[in-house]
Amino acid sequence: MFTHKYQDIISLENLLATWDRFVRGKRHKKDVIAFQLNLADNLIELHGSLRDRTYKHGGYHAFNISDPKPRNIHKATVRDRVLHHLIYKELYRYFDSRFIYDSFSCRKGKGTHRALDRFKYFAGQVSKNYTRTCYVLKGDIKKFFASIDHVVLMKILERHIEDGELRALLREIVSSFHSAIPTIGLPLGNLTSQLLVNIYMHEFDMYVKQELRVKYYIRYADDFAVLSSDKKYLEELLPEFHYFLNNKLHLSLHENKVYIKTYGSGVDFLGWVHFPYHRQIRTATKKKIIKKLRGYPKPQTINSYRGVLGHGNTHKVQERVGVFRFF
């Protein structure tokens, strides 16, 4: 049980320390500059509203990005984002220590590269170093962030968080946004959303690991995979997954992104197509990189994509975009 007290969490000292972390790398943003011009007054006002239980979450600025598919991002005000950072800092360690080992999204030391390596390790174990057929059940949650049920989420949080005032604050943050249906959806863009969706999906993780006793299971956000040498076993798992997600979490599997296939035929997972002895970058990701590296890209863009290309067999892509001519 998370037993930290609300009054200790929302202290002015804690808010000041949170601001120091929040502002790193953002000092030149217009909204951050405006907030910082009256920093003391703004933090005192935020603290006062939290102390007096009058805090109300503000609205969001919406915009679209391509990553590579279109995504609708909702950006909160600086005032609210400082609070998000505070809540995230306070809750992260408690919940992260309870997550399963093979949950990889938005966790320290558990990024995409670690997930890719773990997937490869599982494939090697199941296939006995590629001497046996390995089947992979690949799943994807449909409209993940937009489908999170506020009522279900708050019931999960209430099982863990003792302080009623902290629960009320979390309810205010969660209810500050909804998708097309009231009480449904979390905003892509909130730092708290990254933690909350992991808390939400941890229910599924525990069902898979403890109730179904699945050994080779890995999840990254809304993408998950189960590996086995027995195709029938995976076929029998699928309706169990459907039932739990639909009835317990009010989520649905994406009908066009759920399949069972052999590892040897190539499995698309986390932007890469995986084979026994190599992995290739997904076609959509490759096209995005080629497009972004045309002309005179920024050094940070080059470094970012150089890191991505280093995760697999991408020599031909590197030659095509001339990545190494920039170094």
Side-chain angles (χ1 to χ4, degrees), residues 118-136 215-216 226-230 261-265 267 274-277:
R118 187 67 167 168
F119 183 82
K120 182 179 179 180
Y121 171 77
F122 277 175
Q125 291 289 300
V126 171
S127 66
K128 305 296 182 184
N129 290 325
Y130 315 122
T131 60
R132 298 182 183 179
T133 301
C134 171
Y135 295 94
V136 180
K215 185 174 183 180
Y216 297 109
V226 179
L227 295 83
S228 174
S229 59
D230 185 347
K261 63 189 302 186
T262 62
Y263 185 58
S265 65
V267 175
H274 301 258
F275 297 91
Y277 296 103

Side-chain angles (χ1 to χ4, degrees), residues 297-316:
K298 296 178 181 179
Q300 56 266 37
T301 302
I302 299 167
N303 287 329
S304 173
Y305 285 122
R306 192 186 194 201
V308 169
L309 294 173
H311 292 336
N313 302 78
T314 59
H315 183 69
K316 289 183 178 179

Side-chain angles (χ1 to χ4, degrees), residues 55-97:
Y55 169 81
K56 296 296 179 184
H57 197 288
Y60 291 88
H61 168 63
F63 58 95
N64 296 317
I65 64 170
S66 295
D67 188 31
K69 64 181 180 181
R71 296 183 188 275
N72 190 227
I73 304 298
H74 288 83
K75 182 180 178 182
T77 65
V78 172
R79 168 181 176 266
D80 294 327
R81 279 153 52 208
V82 170
L83 179 62
H84 297 169
H85 276 252
L86 173 65
I87 294 299
Y88 182 90
K89 176 185 75 71
E90 292 293 329
L91 296 183
Y92 176 83
R93 184 177 297 179
Y94 169 83
F95 282 104
D96 187 71
S97 67

Side-chain angles (χ1 to χ4, degrees), residues 46-58:
L46 175 57
H47 172 255
S49 68
L50 293 168
R51 180 197 60 214
D52 300 336
R53 288 80 169 173
T54 59
Y55 169 81
K56 296 296 179 184
H57 197 288

